[in-house]
Amino acid sequence: MDDEELVERVARLEERVDRLERADAPVEEPNAEDAFWALNALKERVDEPGAVLFTGSVTVPSGEHYEWQQGHPVDDLLDDDWSRAAETLSALAHPVRLLLLREILHGAGTTAELGAHVGTTGQLYHHLRQLVAAGWLRTTARGRYSVPGERVVPILTVLAAARR
C-alpha cells in the first residue's frame, strides 16, 4: 500500500468514526421557531401541491449505519394505483414478520437465530418468503437474511407513521 492509499484509507476511517460519534450524540429537540425545519426546506424546493419526503440517518443495534432519502410529488402519489402497494404493505402486517425484521436489525440473521421466535420451521420460512418477495428482506447466503440498506429507513418510517 503506497502513502496516498494509506492517507485516503485513514481519512475514510476518520470520517466513519466521526459519523459513529455523531450517531451516539443525543438528538436535540428543535426550538419552537424551527420545529418544522425539514418541512420548510421541502416547501422551498417544490411547487404546489407539494411533495412527500422521508429521510433518515440510522445506526441500527447491529452496528450498520444507513442514510436514506426518498421523495415523491403528491400528484404522483394521489394518482397512483394504491392497490399495487397492498402486497408490500401486507408483508409488514403480521406480528411475526415485524418481529423477524426487528431481530434482523438487532443482528440476528440466520434461520437458526430467527427460528427461536417462530413456532415451526415451516412457519419461519413462510414469513421469510413473504418478506423477501415484498423486498423487505434479502438472502445474503444460504440460511442468512438481511434488511437491504435502502429499506431500513422506509421500515422505520412505516413504524413511526403507525404510532399514535
Side-chain angles (χ1 to χ4, degrees), residues 68-90:
W68 189 254
Q69 173 178 302
Q70 189 170 337
H72 302 278
V74 72
D75 284 341
D76 290 356
L77 292 170
L78 291 173
D79 293 341
D80 201 10
D81 176 6
W82 289 7
S83 66
R84 294 187 336 206
E87 184 178 325
T88 302
L89 293 172
S90 169

Short mmCIF file of all heavy atoms in Angstrom, two decimals, residues 68-90:
data_model
loop_
_atom_site.label_atom_id
_atom_site.label_comp_id
_atom_site.label_asym_id
_atom_site.label_seq_id
_atom_site.Cartn_x
_atom_site.Cartn_y
_atom_site.Cartn_z
N TRP A 68 -30.75 7.56 4.18
CA TRP A 68 -31.66 7.37 3.07
C TRP A 68 -32.61 8.54 2.98
O TRP A 68 -33.00 9.11 3.99
CB TRP A 68 -32.46 6.07 3.26
CG TRP A 68 -33.26 5.70 2.05
CD1 TRP A 68 -34.61 5.81 1.92
CD2 TRP A 68 -32.78 5.20 0.82
NE1 TRP A 68 -35.01 5.39 0.67
CE2 TRP A 68 -33.89 5.00 -0.03
CE3 TRP A 68 -31.52 4.88 0.33
CZ2 TRP A 68 -33.78 4.51 -1.32
CZ3 TRP A 68 -31.42 4.39 -0.95
CH2 TRP A 68 -32.53 4.20 -1.75
N GLN A 69 -32.96 8.87 1.75
CA GLN A 69 -33.94 9.92 1.50
C GLN A 69 -34.78 9.49 0.30
O GLN A 69 -34.24 9.00 -0.68
CB GLN A 69 -33.22 11.23 1.18
CG GLN A 69 -34.13 12.34 0.73
CD GLN A 69 -33.35 13.61 0.48
OE1 GLN A 69 -32.69 14.10 1.38
NE2 GLN A 69 -33.42 14.11 -0.73
N GLN A 70 -36.08 9.67 0.41
CA GLN A 70 -36.96 9.32 -0.69
C GLN A 70 -38.10 10.33 -0.71
O GLN A 70 -38.69 10.63 0.32
CB GLN A 70 -37.50 7.91 -0.49
CG GLN A 70 -38.25 7.36 -1.66
CD GLN A 70 -38.54 5.87 -1.49
OE1 GLN A 70 -37.86 5.17 -0.75
NE2 GLN A 70 -39.55 5.39 -2.17
N GLY A 71 -38.36 10.86 -1.89
CA GLY A 71 -39.43 11.84 -2.02
C GLY A 71 -40.27 11.56 -3.25
O GLY A 71 -39.79 10.97 -4.22
N HIS A 72 -41.53 11.99 -3.19
CA HIS A 72 -42.45 11.78 -4.29
C HIS A 72 -43.37 12.99 -4.41
O HIS A 72 -43.92 13.45 -3.40
CB HIS A 72 -43.31 10.53 -4.06
CG HIS A 72 -42.51 9.29 -3.87
ND1 HIS A 72 -42.02 8.57 -4.93
CD2 HIS A 72 -42.09 8.65 -2.75
CE1 HIS A 72 -41.35 7.53 -4.47
NE2 HIS A 72 -41.38 7.56 -3.15
N PRO A 73 -43.61 13.48 -5.63
CA PRO A 73 -44.61 14.54 -5.82
C PRO A 73 -45.98 14.04 -5.37
O PRO A 73 -46.34 12.89 -5.63
CB PRO A 73 -44.58 14.82 -7.32
CG PRO A 73 -43.27 14.28 -7.79
CD PRO A 73 -42.94 13.14 -6.87
N VAL A 74 -46.72 14.89 -4.69
CA VAL A 74 -48.01 14.48 -4.15
C VAL A 74 -48.97 14.05 -5.26
O VAL A 74 -49.74 13.10 -5.07
CB VAL A 74 -48.62 15.57 -3.24
CG1 VAL A 74 -49.11 16.76 -4.03
CG2 VAL A 74 -49.71 14.99 -2.38
N ASP A 75 -48.93 14.69 -6.42
CA ASP A 75 -49.81 14.28 -7.52
C ASP A 75 -49.55 12.84 -7.93
O ASP A 75 -50.49 12.09 -8.21
CB ASP A 75 -49.65 15.21 -8.73
CG ASP A 75 -50.35 16.55 -8.53
OD1 ASP A 75 -51.25 16.64 -7.67
OD2 ASP A 75 -49.99 17.50 -9.25
N ASP A 76 -48.27 12.47 -8.00
CA ASP A 76 -47.93 11.09 -8.36
C ASP A 76 -48.51 10.10 -7.35
O ASP A 76 -49.03 9.04 -7.72
CB ASP A 76 -46.42 10.89 -8.44
CG ASP A 76 -45.79 11.60 -9.62
OD1 ASP A 76 -46.52 12.18 -10.44
OD2 ASP A 76 -44.54 11.56 -9.71
N LEU A 77 -48.41 10.44 -6.08
CA LEU A 77 -48.93 9.54 -5.04
C LEU A 77 -50.45 9.44 -5.09
O LEU A 77 -51.01 8.35 -4.98
CB LEU A 77 -48.48 10.01 -3.66
CG LEU A 77 -46.97 9.90 -3.38
CD1 LEU A 77 -46.62 10.61 -2.10
CD2 LEU A 77 -46.54 8.45 -3.33
N LEU A 78 -51.11 10.57 -5.25
CA LEU A 78 -52.57 10.55 -5.26
C LEU A 78 -53.14 9.89 -6.51
O LEU A 78 -54.21 9.29 -6.46
CB LEU A 78 -53.11 11.98 -5.12
CG LEU A 78 -52.89 12.63 -3.76
CD1 LEU A 78 -53.31 14.09 -3.81
CD2 LEU A 78 -53.61 11.88 -2.66
N ASP A 79 -52.43 9.99 -7.62
CA ASP A 79 -52.91 9.42 -8.88
C ASP A 79 -52.50 7.97 -9.08
O ASP A 79 -53.00 7.31 -9.98
CB ASP A 79 -52.40 10.25 -10.07
CG ASP A 79 -53.01 11.65 -10.09
OD1 ASP A 79 -54.05 11.86 -9.44
OD2 ASP A 79 -52.43 12.53 -10.75
N ASP A 80 -51.61 7.47 -8.25
CA ASP A 80 -51.09 6.11 -8.40
C ASP A 80 -52.18 5.08 -8.08
O ASP A 80 -53.16 5.37 -7.39
CB ASP A 80 -49.90 5.91 -7.45
CG ASP A 80 -49.00 4.78 -7.85
OD1 ASP A 80 -49.15 4.24 -8.96
OD2 ASP A 80 -48.12 4.43 -7.04
N ASP A 81 -51.99 3.86 -8.56
CA ASP A 81 -52.86 2.75 -8.23
C ASP A 81 -52.40 2.19 -6.89
O ASP A 81 -51.41 1.46 -6.81
CB ASP A 81 -52.76 1.68 -9.33
CG ASP A 81 -53.57 0.43 -9.01
OD1 ASP A 81 -54.31 0.42 -7.99
OD2 ASP A 81 -53.46 -0.54 -9.78
N TRP A 82 -53.09 2.56 -5.84
CA TRP A 82 -52.68 2.17 -4.49
C TRP A 82 -52.73 0.67 -4.26
O TRP A 82 -52.06 0.16 -3.37
CB TRP A 82 -53.54 2.89 -3.45
CG TRP A 82 -53.26 4.37 -3.36
CD1 TRP A 82 -52.46 5.11 -4.18
CD2 TRP A 82 -53.80 5.26 -2.40
NE1 TRP A 82 -52.47 6.43 -3.78
CE2 TRP A 82 -53.29 6.55 -2.69
CE3 TRP A 82 -54.67 5.12 -1.33
CZ2 TRP A 82 -53.61 7.67 -1.94
CZ3 TRP A 82 -55.00 6.24 -0.59
CH2 TRP A 82 -54.47 7.49 -0.88
N SER A 83 -53.50 -0.04 -5.04
CA SER A 83 -53.60 -1.49 -4.84
C SER A 83 -52.26 -2.18 -5.10
O SER A 83 -52.01 -3.27 -4.60
CB SER A 83 -54.69 -2.08 -5.72
OG SER A 83 -54.36 -1.96 -7.09
N ARG A 84 -51.39 -1.51 -5.90
CA ARG A 84 -50.07 -2.11 -6.16
C ARG A 84 -49.21 -2.17 -4.91
O ARG A 84 -48.27 -2.94 -4.83
CB ARG A 84 -49.34 -1.32 -7.25
CG ARG A 84 -50.02 -1.43 -8.60
CD ARG A 84 -49.24 -0.81 -9.71
NE ARG A 84 -48.31 0.22 -9.28
CZ ARG A 84 -47.89 1.22 -10.03
NH1 ARG A 84 -48.30 1.34 -11.26
NH2 ARG A 84 -47.04 2.11 -9.57
N ALA A 85 -49.54 -1.35 -3.91
CA ALA A 85 -48.77 -1.34 -2.65
C ALA A 85 -49.27 -2.39 -1.66
O ALA A 85 -48.61 -2.63 -0.65
CB ALA A 85 -48.84 0.05 -2.01
N ALA A 86 -50.40 -3.01 -1.96
CA ALA A 86 -51.02 -3.92 -0.99
C ALA A 86 -50.10 -5.06 -0.58
O ALA A 86 -49.97 -5.39 0.60
CB ALA A 86 -52.33 -4.46 -1.55
N GLU A 87 -49.44 -5.70 -1.55
CA GLU A 87 -48.58 -6.85 -1.22
C GLU A 87 -47.39 -6.43 -0.35
O GLU A 87 -47.05 -7.11 0.62
CB GLU A 87 -48.09 -7.52 -2.50
CG GLU A 87 -47.29 -8.78 -2.24
CD GLU A 87 -46.84 -9.47 -3.52
OE1 GLU A 87 -47.60 -9.44 -4.51
OE2 GLU A 87 -45.73 -10.02 -3.51
N THR A 88 -46.80 -5.29 -0.70
CA THR A 88 -45.65 -4.80 0.07
C THR A 88 -46.06 -4.46 1.49
O THR A 88 -45.38 -4.81 2.46
CB THR A 88 -45.03 -3.58 -0.62
OG1 THR A 88 -44.65 -3.96 -1.94
CG2 THR A 88 -43.81 -3.08 0.12
N LEU A 89 -47.19 -3.76 1.64
CA LEU A 89 -47.67 -3.40 2.97
C LEU A 89 -48.16 -4.63 3.73
O LEU A 89 -47.95 -4.74 4.94
CB LEU A 89 -48.77 -2.35 2.87
CG LEU A 89 -48.33 -0.99 2.35
CD1 LEU A 89 -49.53 -0.09 2.10
CD2 LEU A 89 -47.34 -0.34 3.30
N SER A 90 -48.79 -5.53 3.02
CA SER A 90 -49.30 -6.75 3.64
C SER A 90 -48.18 -7.57 4.28
O SER A 90 -48.38 -8.19 5.32
CB SER A 90 -50.04 -7.57 2.59
OG SER A 90 -50.33 -8.84 3.07
#
